[in-house]
Amino acid sequence: MIKNICCIGAGYVGGPTMAVIALKSPHIKVTVVDLNQERIDAWNGEDFEKLPIYEPGLAEVVEKCRGRNLFFSTDVDKAIDEADAIFISVNTPTKTYGVGKGMAADLKYIELCARQIARVATSDKIVIEKSTLPVRTAEAIVNILKNTGNGVDFQILSNPEFLAEGTAVADLMNPDRVLIGGEQTENGKKAAQQLVDVYKNWVPEANILTTNVWSSELSKLTANAFLAQRVSSINAMSELCEVTGADVGEVAKAIGTDSRIGPKFLKASVGFGGSCFQKDILNLVYIAKSYGLDEVADYWEQVIILNDHQKRRFASNIVKTLFNTVSGKEIAILGWAFKKDTNDTRESAAIYVADELLNERASLKVYDPKVNKERVFADLNYLESRSKEENTELVNIIGDPYEACKGAHAIAVLTEWDEFKSFDWRMIYEGMKKPAFIFDGRALLDLEELSKIGFVTYSIGKGN
Ligand code: UDX
Ligand code: ADP
């Protein structure tokens, strides 16, 4: 029976997942470890509103469990040694160097974890891949563990996380399914059953699926690829809607009522972002190519090509509409996070739209209710499209949305934060330069109302 869990990686996946396991399994001690001292300090901080990750409901869960059976620490070795089960929940970014650059997942953090576990472990362990990994990664982990370990037994399981950011706590409390892949040996099955028993503390057994390791690894990539593909499919239609006078919202509703298609994930947008979709599809494409499956690779790559096109198309639409020049014009950017209810900005469409506008020498005033100034500049500087000084000169982060829009020529809505819907748009309009333009990248706002106020409106997927 698993009584002591260690999770390596206190990020967007490890933090919330372990908090919910601790909440639902008071008899299990859960220790989340990370190399990043600042991150661990923030998890241990006095102020629960300032945890390193913002997720609705997370602060309450951490407050209830921290110090009871949930602990955050940088002492990785100790936590590994004490645990019966070790979750690996470190980041697996796209490689930025060498073979597979720009496509394959970088597994260096995973390998380091495996080596550390092998070095430290003095008793049998179940090692669980939580991070999304290329299919057959478990093979490499097993090789490291079995060939460099201290002779103890390691069982490796794949248990991918399907939570979405912004709804992480709700998704974890009530998952559609939990997926556990294990080796099809007697010991492999026993290990999988032990993990099933942990989830059974709150998930109905019928929703806990067990498979072989490779199916589990590949299912996670497949799920993300299918979801992203739906967004690219509706976004492709959004462009067609704009030129034909159709309304993508109406089209989505019309097709979504077909029970075979279903209504979810059909919202046209300025493009999907987040840490998973692009990374996982690139990885899938790379894997397909490495097996010589070029048609399969090309098929999935198109999902990314369309997404990049959507972001560029939105930015160039702004430039075109503002009389083909935005140089020296002020544009208010409302929303920087990749979607609402998160402070995560990884691969956010806002970064790329802002970058295109900055290339045209626009001045930007950015407002996001949860993203801080340092993050916005870090995102822009990372692209290296221009010097840090130029970014500082052209971009201002404003804590008040009304202030951000004051004096602006145009507004670009790039995240679907609920608060944008209840703004006093009349007041905002009055403070802007005329003609006042609004570009709705999330099909979020009531265009008819905005037009009545006087705005010149554009919304993804709406023809005129
Ligand atoms: C995703 C998967 O949903 C989750 O199961 C997996 O574990 C991790 O990747 P996440 O990246 O947190 O989760 O966000 P998600 O809600 O899936 O949204 C991804 C992006 O797609 C966002 O930028 C979102 O705005 C966009 N999106 C989503 C759309 O543009 N339209 C939609 O209809 C849905
Ligand atoms: P995710 O979205 O997958 O959770 P994050 O980047 O938010 O990704 O979190 C991953 C965390 O893993 C980071 O905080 C990073 O410091 C941590 N990490 C990476 N490698 C190791 C390691 N070898 N030991 C401990 N922590 C690690």
Side-chain angles (χ1 to χ4, degrees):
M1 195 167 121
I2 295 173
K3 290 200 182 118
N4 196 322
I5 287 177
C6 158
C7 172
I8 309 181
Y12 281 90
V13 174
T17 310
M18 292 305 126
V20 170
I21 289 185
L23 178 76
K24 298 293 187 179
S25 323
H27 55 288
I28 299 179
K29 179 181 175 193
V30 181
T31 309
V32 190
V33 292
D34 204 295
L35 298 172
N36 184 333
Q37 180 76 52
E38 211 181 312
R39 215 167 208 187
I40 290 298
D41 288 347
W43 281 112
N44 281 325
E46 293 286 302
D47 186 351
F48 287 95
E49 292 307 310
K50 288 205 175 122
L51 296 177
I53 283 155
Y54 171 72
E55 280 291 340
L58 179 62
E60 290 78 355
V61 177
V62 174
E63 188 165 5
K64 195 156 181 198
C65 304
R66 204 179 68 193
R68 179 187 80 177
N69 64 330
L70 176 66
F71 303 90
F72 296 91
S73 160
T74 50
D75 194 344
V76 183
D77 284 1
K78 179 163 178 272
I80 290 176
D81 193 32
E82 288 177 357
D84 319 305
I86 302 162
F87 285 85
I88 303 183
S89 195
V90 300
N91 35 336
T92 49
T94 303
K95 268 186 94 174
T96 53
Y97 55 88
V99 178
K101 177 179 170 182
M103 300 205 82
D106 192 341
L107 299 180
K108 70 176 173 205
Y109 303 111
I110 298 284
E111 183 175 335
L112 280 174
C113 286
R115 288 190 186 280
Q116 191 163 4
I117 295 169
R119 180 171 53 75
V120 171
T122 52
S123 57
D124 295 351
K125 310 280 178 210
I126 300 175
V127 177
I128 305 153
E129 304 174 340
K130 194 53 142 167
S131 319
T132 305
L133 295 169
V135 56
R136 297 202 81 88
T137 303
E139 205 166 28
I141 298 182
V142 167
N143 267 332
I144 294 171
L145 291 176
K146 299 215 161 145
N147 292 316
T148 58
N150 302 317
V152 301
D153 184 57
F154 292 108
Q155 287 302 319
I156 180 108
L157 301 175
S158 157
N159 172 222
E161 188 45 65
F162 294 100
L163 67 81
E165 287 175 30
T167 53
V169 174
D171 293 345
L172 285 161
M173 300 249 202
N174 225 337
D176 285 345
R177 78 315 208 175
V178 167
L179 181 59
I180 298 171
E183 275 182 43
Q184 299 303 296
T185 56
E186 202 183 319
N187 282 346
K189 285 182 188 160
K190 265 196 211 149
Q193 187 55 46
Q194 290 198 55
L195 188 56
V196 169
D197 290 340
V198 172
Y199 283 105
K200 256 175 39 189
N201 286 318
W202 76 100
V203 180
E205 204 164 356
N207 294 4
I208 307 178
L209 312 180
T210 51
T211 64
N212 78 33
V213 182
W214 320 132
S215 306
S216 171
E217 288 180 333
L218 190 57
S219 297
K220 171 67 190 189
L221 289 181
T222 310
N224 276 346
F226 269 59
L227 290 169
Q229 180 205 41
R230 270 175 83 96
V231 178
S232 276
S233 296
I234 199 71
N235 280 346
M237 299 321 288
S238 75
E239 191 168 10
L240 198 53
C241 286
E242 286 168 32
V243 293
T244 55
D247 178 330
V248 78
E250 291 175 354
V251 173
K253 188 160 186 203
I255 63 164
T257 46
D258 184 324
S259 61
R260 292 166 304 175
I261 296 175
K264 293 184 182 163
F265 253 75
L266 283 180
K267 187 112 169 57
S269 68
V270 57
F272 60 73
S275 70
C276 289
F277 283 178
Q278 171 159 316
K279 181 189 79 176
D280 288 354
I281 292 179
L282 287 172
N283 189 5
L284 191 62
V285 168
Y286 182 76
I287 294 168
K289 277 201 177 131
S290 68
Y291 285 104
L293 309 179
D294 290 341
E295 289 78 5
V296 177
D298 291 349
Y299 175 76
W300 286 109
E301 192 166 18
Q302 203 57 36
V303 173
I304 301 284
I305 293 174
L306 201 285
N307 196 50
D308 288 339
H309 168 68
Q310 189 77 346
K311 292 179 269 188
R312 267 197 312 272
R313 164 174 111 70
F314 187 80
S316 71
N317 203 318
I318 296 180
V319 178
K320 242 188 288 162
T321 312
L322 294 183
F323 318 108
N324 281 317
T325 173
V326 289
S327 168
K329 290 183 182 163
E330 281 192 358
I331 301 176
I333 302 283
L334 297 187
W336 194 263
F338 81 97
K339 65 175 190 183
K340 72 172 179 177
D341 291 339
T342 176
N343 62 347
D344 193 352
T345 66
R346 288 178 288 181
E347 291 303 326
S348 177
I351 304 170
Y352 298 94
V353 171
D355 187 53
E356 299 268 341
L357 296 173
L358 291 169
N359 284 342
E360 297 293 330
R361 308 287 304 167
S363 285
L364 304 184
K365 296 200 285 185
V366 179
Y367 165 76
D368 186 288
K370 290 285 174 205
V371 179
N372 64 30
K373 182 175 171 175
E374 289 72 29
R375 186 71 257 156
V376 174
F377 281 110
D379 289 338
L380 287 171
N381 292 337
Y382 182 77
L383 296 180
E384 295 184 350
S385 304
R386 63 200 73 70
S387 69
K388 288 183 181 168
E389 291 70 31
E390 276 174 291
N391 282 334
T392 317
E393 187 194 321
L394 292 171
V395 182
N396 274 297
I397 318 301
I398 315 272
D400 174 79
Y402 292 83
E403 206 50 48
C405 297
K406 204 181 261 173
H409 292 80
I411 296 171
V413 176
L414 299 179
T415 311
E416 70 281 26
W417 286 103
D418 286 335
E419 65 177 63
F420 298 164
K421 288 189 267 188
S422 52
F423 276 180
D424 184 343
W425 287 105
R426 193 170 293 279
M427 193 162 123
I428 288 179
Y429 175 79
E430 274 155 21
M432 289 177 67
K433 296 240 161 54
K434 308 293 174 329
F437 295 89
I438 189 157
F439 298 88
D440 180 3
R442 294 286 175 169
L444 181 74
L445 304 169
D446 183 340
L447 293 195
E448 220 175 284
E449 272 303 303
L450 292 170
S451 311
K452 270 193 228 149
I453 293 172
F455 278 106
V456 182
T457 60
Y458 162 83
S459 177
I460 279 282
K462 297 211 170 139
N464 337 293

